[in-house]
């Protein structure tokens, strides 16, 4: 929890020197902390990118989860899915709301993948490597421990019609377009945007959404940045 320690020191210094502006965001080394002063109350958002159960846990090619990590609050979601799957309960209310609102707008969603165990990811990755070779497989599939799906906070979302499931043409479907514009309102962000492969390590995946909570999703979406860029992490 080095990030958090640094934060408190910084916060004290920050207050000593006085903080008057509204919605101030500290930069560089403590970008993960927002200090918002409103009248006499000070609100501190601590964004925890390290704890495994944090909804902001950072998982990518440089940040892995241990083999034995499994979220404690996995449930079967009460929305359309293409198979039996699990997600973390912490996102379930927002997920239900998102699917309902999408349907009101004529976008019919279904989840094709939710939580994946380390072992399952290992099997998947090895199969892809056997089929396409390690270089190609690494562009679209995570190594075991490096998949956001192991957090239980990542979803692959499809159209109920099955059109363009797990394919780049999903972005052209009503469902893909709706998600791209609206998922952030429910706490989900498009994790691997187009043209950001160098940063995220993965090719464009218009179907892969990651829950980070409504507050952070709004800020990340409005910034137009990837998670790595927004929090200034590798
Ligand atoms: Zn995915």
């Amino acid at each position: 929890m080095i990030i958090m320690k640094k934060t408190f020191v910084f916060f004290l210094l920050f207050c000593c020197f006085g903080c008057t502006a509204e919605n101030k965001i500290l930069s560089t080394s403590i970008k993960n902390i927002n200090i918002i002063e409103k009248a006499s109350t000070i609100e501190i958002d601590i964004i925890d990118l390290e704890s495994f159960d944090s909804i902001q846990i950072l998982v990518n090619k440089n940040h892995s989860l241990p083999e034995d990590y499994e979220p404690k609050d996995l449930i079967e979601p009460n929305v359309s899915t293409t198979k039996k799957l699990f997600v973390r309960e912490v996102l379930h209310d927002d997920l239900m709301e998102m699917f309902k609102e999408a349907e009101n707008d004529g976008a019919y969603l279904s989840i094709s993948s939710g939580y994946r165990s380390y072992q399952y990811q290992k099997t998947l990755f090895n199969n892809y490597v056997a089929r396409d070779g390690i270089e190609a497989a690494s562009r679209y599939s995570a190594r075991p421990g490096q998949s956001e799906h192991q957090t239980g906070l990542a979803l692959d979302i499809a159209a109920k019609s099955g059109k363009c499931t797990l394919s780049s043409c999903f972005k052209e479907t009503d469902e893909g377009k709706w998600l791209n514009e609206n998922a952030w309102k429910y706490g989900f962000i498009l994790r691997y945007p187009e043209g950001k492969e160098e940063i995220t390590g993965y090719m464009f995946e218009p179907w892969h959404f990651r829950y980070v909570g409504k507050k952070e999703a709004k800020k990340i979406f409005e910034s137009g940045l990837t998670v790595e860029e927004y929090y200034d992490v590798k």
Side-chain angles (χ1 to χ4, degrees):
M1 292 301 93
I2 294 160
I3 289 178
M4 292 168 77
K5 276 185 197 159
K6 268 186 190 164
T7 300
F8 283 116
V9 173
F10 237 88
F11 175 57
L12 288 173
L13 286 172
F14 187 69
C15 285
C16 289
F17 295 119
C19 37
T20 51
E22 200 173 335
N23 293 331
K24 272 205 172 181
I25 298 175
L26 299 181
S27 59
T28 58
S29 63
I30 52 161
K31 225 173 192 173
N32 307 340
I33 310 302
N34 298 335
I35 297 180
I36 301 164
E37 189 188 15
K38 286 175 189 160
S40 60
T41 59
I42 294 175
E43 191 183 315
I44 308 173
D45 290 339
I46 296 181
I47 308 306
D48 181 354
L49 303 176
E50 295 180 355
S51 303
F52 303 144
D53 288 325
S54 163
I55 60 167
Q56 279 101 26
I57 173 76
L58 174 71
V59 177
N60 61 20
K61 289 181 177 175
N62 300 313
H63 298 269
S64 302
L65 290 167
E67 190 168 350
D68 60 357
Y69 174 72
E70 182 186 308
K72 296 173 198 78
D73 61 342
L74 291 173
I75 56 164
E76 270 191 81
N78 193 17
V79 296
S80 169
T81 59
T82 61
K83 62 183 180 195
K84 185 182 172 81
L85 54 83
F86 298 88
V87 301
R88 276 192 62 186
E89 190 174 18
V90 69
L91 62 78
H92 193 250
D93 287 352
D94 290 339
L95 178 70
M96 296 264 288
E97 194 189 354
M98 180 166 82
F99 272 51
K100 196 170 131 253
E101 291 302 321
E103 205 157 311
N104 288 342
D105 291 343
Y108 300 93
L109 308 175
S110 188
I111 306 177
S112 66
S113 192
Y115 166 72
R116 283 186 212 140
S117 69
Y118 183 99
Q119 282 307 323
Y120 183 60
Q121 188 68 33
K122 192 172 176 181
T123 306
L124 270 184
F125 185 73
N126 288 343
N127 289 345
Y128 292 138
V129 170
R131 190 186 68 185
D132 295 334
I134 193 146
E135 201 176 316
S138 299
R139 290 184 63 205
Y140 65 82
S141 177
R143 285 172 166 74
Q146 297 178 358
S147 172
E148 282 203 316
H149 286 279
Q150 196 184 336
T151 67
L153 298 166
L155 309 173
D156 292 338
I157 307 180
K160 249 185 194 171
S161 65
K163 194 180 172 193
C164 292
T165 298
L166 302 182
S167 170
S168 59
C169 65
F170 181 65
K171 77 166 185 177
E172 308 294 350
T173 64
D174 289 344
E175 287 73 15
K177 284 181 195 162
W178 189 93
L179 284 166
N180 192 36
E181 285 165 26
N182 298 291
W184 64 272
K185 295 173 191 168
Y186 309 93
F188 294 87
I189 53 159
L190 180 69
R191 186 64 178 84
Y192 308 121
E194 204 162 11
K196 299 280 189 172
E197 183 171 347
E198 290 291 308
I199 296 157
T200 64
Y202 295 102
M203 53 197 282
F204 176 43
E205 291 193 358
W207 59 84
H208 180 107
F209 286 82
R210 162 66 197 272
Y211 187 73
V212 291
K214 285 182 178 175
K215 227 171 169 179
E216 288 305 293
K218 183 175 193 288
K219 289 187 275 189
I220 295 169
F221 178 82
E222 285 174 350
S223 74
L225 301 172
T226 63
V227 165
E228 284 79 6
E229 291 169 308
Y230 183 76
Y231 293 118
D232 196 19
V233 288
K234 290 282 178 218

